[in-house]
Every structure is written in C-alpha cells, then in structure tokens.
Amino acid sequence: MTLLKDKVAIITGGAQGLGLAMAEEFVKAGAKVVVADLNEESAKAAAEGLDGEAFGIGCNVVNADEVQAAIDAALAKWGSLDVFVNNAGITRDATMRKMTEDEFDAVISVHLKGCWNGTRLASAVMREQKSGTIVNISSLSGKVGMVGQTNYSAAKAGIVGMSKAAAKEMAHHGVRVNAIQPGLIRSAMTEAMPQKAWDQKMAEIPMQRAGEPNEVATVALFLASDMSSYMTGTVLEVTGGRFM
Ligand SMILES: NC(=O)c1ccc[n+]([C@@H]2O[C@H](COP(=O)([O-])OP(=O)(O)OC[C@H]3O[C@@H](n4cnc5c(N)ncnc54)[C@H](O)[C@@H]3O)[C@@H](O)[C@H]2O)c1
C-alpha cells in the first residue's frame, strides 16, 4: 500500500492499543512514524517492533513542550509533519457521587488539553507546509454520555467541538482536521472493565461483537490519507452500529 508513502506521522499514546494499531497500519501504508507515549520505554519498544521506518519518544501530551519536542524530533529526522493523531487517553471512571476532583481534572487534562496541544502545535507546522491532516480520537461516550464517565464524556464531546473549530481555522491553509468516535474496542482500557459492564455494552451493539484496534486504525488511515481529501470537521463513528 502507498496511501501514506513518505508521509511523516506522529501518533500520541502509540505504544499500545488503538495507537499501536494505527502505527502498524500507517507503516504498512508507507509512512514514517513517531510513536509518542507517556511511557518512553514502551514507545521505543513499539517503534522497534514496527516493520518500517519509526522511532519512539517519551511524551506527556499535557505538557506542550514535550509535544513540541516530539514534533521537532520528527522534523529533524524527516523534514516534514504530514499526519498528527491525538490518541493518548486515560479513564478514571466513577459516578459523580464518588469521582474526585483529581479524577475529573486528570481526564480533562489528558484528553482535552492534550488534544489541543497536539492540534495547535501540529497545525503551526502544517499551515507553513500548506498541507497536513490531524485525526482526533473522540469516543462514543462523547456522543451519548456514559454513566460513570462525566469526566471522559465531557472531554470526548469537547474534542468534537475543538476539532470542528480547528477544521474551520485551518481549512484554507490546506490542513484537515477530523475526529473518530470508536465504540467498544478490545484494548487494555476496555479489558479492565468488569464483566457485567462488558456484557451490558455488548447487548447494545447491532453487530454483536466488540471492535478490534485495527478496525479503528484503518479508519484513521482513511482520514490521514488523500482518500478523504474533501473531508474536514467530520466525526466518523466506528461502533458496529451502536447508538447510531
Ligand atoms: N478502547 C476503546 O474501546 C475506546 C473507545 C473509544 C475511544 N477510545 C480512545 O482511544 C484512545 C486509545 O485508547 P486505547 O483503548 O488504545 O487505550 P490504552 O490504555 O490501551 O492506550 C492508551 C495509551 O495512551 C498513553 N497515554 C496515557 N496518558 C498519556 C499522556 N498523558 N501522554 C501521552 N500518552 C499517554 C498510554 O501510555 C497508552 O500507551 C484513547 O483516547 C481512548 O479514549 C478507546
């Protein structure tokens, strides 16, 4: 595949789960990939395991300087930045009665501030190049709201608004910004869920199965590539039909 031939892509939270699946798809499509993750060791190991040009770097998306350092490293090595995926994420689930302020702040910070850092800093490079695509990973939780996720649902809905605002600011600079809302996808994040919660979610899915990380990664590849050249400010649901 040559959909991303010679394109340079940064994926935050790329050391495992959905982000790693994206790194694998992007490399297969010919991209040079930076795996940027809070866990530097895993980021490096993940990059080494990829079948193509890639490197891993430690990066906390909440810290703008660290996001800028990942972008600078990509530019220093490969000279451009064509794709930026804001994928890093955490959950701190609890009902409002039990959720602490720290749990609220942590989730808002990683998802919303992290996504803003990635979007604005990648945009700054891409507008000069007059090309680039940004893919922001929201969630179905941001569309419908989930019990025990007032923090996460707020952050993921916020990512949709942010993506649309950024898409409008950047469209005339040749930079596209789109979002994906995955449903229930098999990863470390969802496997930590109690069986009862898993079963309840499964019952809501018309396709009657959870998604696999590569089924989100191929949609990210579509949005990252020229296959979606006339799409910006959109939200694609990857949910097996859940809450359509
Ligand atoms: N798995 C699902 O069902 C599902 C559904 C909807 C949305 N999502 C979203 O997809 C994204 C990836 O989720 P996943 O299931 O692969 O989770 P995961 O927990 O398997 O992976 C998340 C990665 O993000 C990294 N990370 C966490 N905080 C970070 C930070 N501050 N800076 C940089 N990296 C950080 C972690 O180290 C980890 O490698 C998240 O944004 C998540 O909210 C997942």
Side-chain angles (χ1 to χ4, degrees):
M1 283 230 290
T2 54
L3 278 178
L4 293 182
K5 189 166 173 358
D6 297 329
K7 301 287 187 194
V8 176
I10 298 181
I11 302 167
T12 69
Q16 66 178 48
L18 276 54
L20 178 57
M22 289 174 208
E24 287 165 354
E25 285 298 330
F26 285 16
V27 159
K28 261 200 276 172
K32 298 164 184 165
V33 170
V34 181
V35 175
D37 201 286
L38 187 61
N39 186 331
E40 182 175 2
E41 212 175 301
S42 313
K44 291 191 164 149
E48 264 169 40
L50 293 171
D51 189 16
E53 274 192 83
F55 69 87
I57 188 166
C59 169
N60 181 352
V61 295
V62 173
N63 183 325
D65 290 343
E66 294 186 27
V67 177
Q68 187 61 54
I71 292 174
D72 290 344
L75 291 174
K77 193 164 170 65
W78 293 313
S80 70
L81 176 63
D82 306 294
V83 180
F84 197 102
V85 185
N86 287 296
N87 165 79
I90 58 168
T91 48
R92 297 287 184 272
D93 294 357
T95 58
M96 279 194 291
R97 234 156 64 92
K98 292 191 178 154
M99 187 180 291
T100 64
E101 239 181 279
D102 282 351
E103 287 168 334
F104 182 81
D105 288 345
V107 168
I108 295 292
S109 187
V110 172
H111 290 279
L112 216 42
K113 178 84 174 292
C115 187
W116 185 67
N117 280 338
T119 302
R120 77 189 167 95
L121 296 173
S123 291
V125 175
M126 291 172 177
R127 68 186 287 161
E128 295 301 318
Q129 291 175 177
K130 300 193 185 325
S131 71
T133 69
I134 296 171
V135 181
N136 292 334
I137 307 304
S138 172
S139 166
L140 200 48
S141 303
K143 178 183 177 183
V144 301
M146 304 275 186
V147 170
Q149 292 196 321
T150 48
N151 50 2
Y152 186 80
S153 301
K156 290 305 203 183
I159 286 176
V160 171
M162 189 198 305
S163 301
K164 291 184 179 185
K168 286 181 181 168
E169 285 190 21
M170 299 309 296
H172 63 290
H173 294 294
V175 180
R176 299 187 295 108
V177 186
N178 291 286
I180 300 177
Q181 290 187 325
L184 182 64
I185 312 296
R186 221 176 271 284
S187 78
M189 189 179 271
T190 51
E191 270 163 9
M193 196 183 290
Q195 187 65 40
K196 199 175 149 210
W198 179 272
D199 293 345
Q200 203 178 345
K201 287 174 193 291
M202 284 291 289
E204 297 164 348
I205 305 172
M207 285 177 71
Q208 298 184 334
R209 66 173 179 85
E212 297 301 326
N214 76 299
E215 294 179 292
V216 179
T218 49
V219 177
L221 172 60
F222 168 71
L223 289 177
S225 77
D226 285 345
M227 291 273 282
S228 58
S229 54
Y230 197 52
M231 291 173 71
T232 197
T234 69
V235 183
L236 299 188
E237 296 179 15
V238 185
T239 63
R242 183 164 167 233
F243 301 141
M244 63 180 76

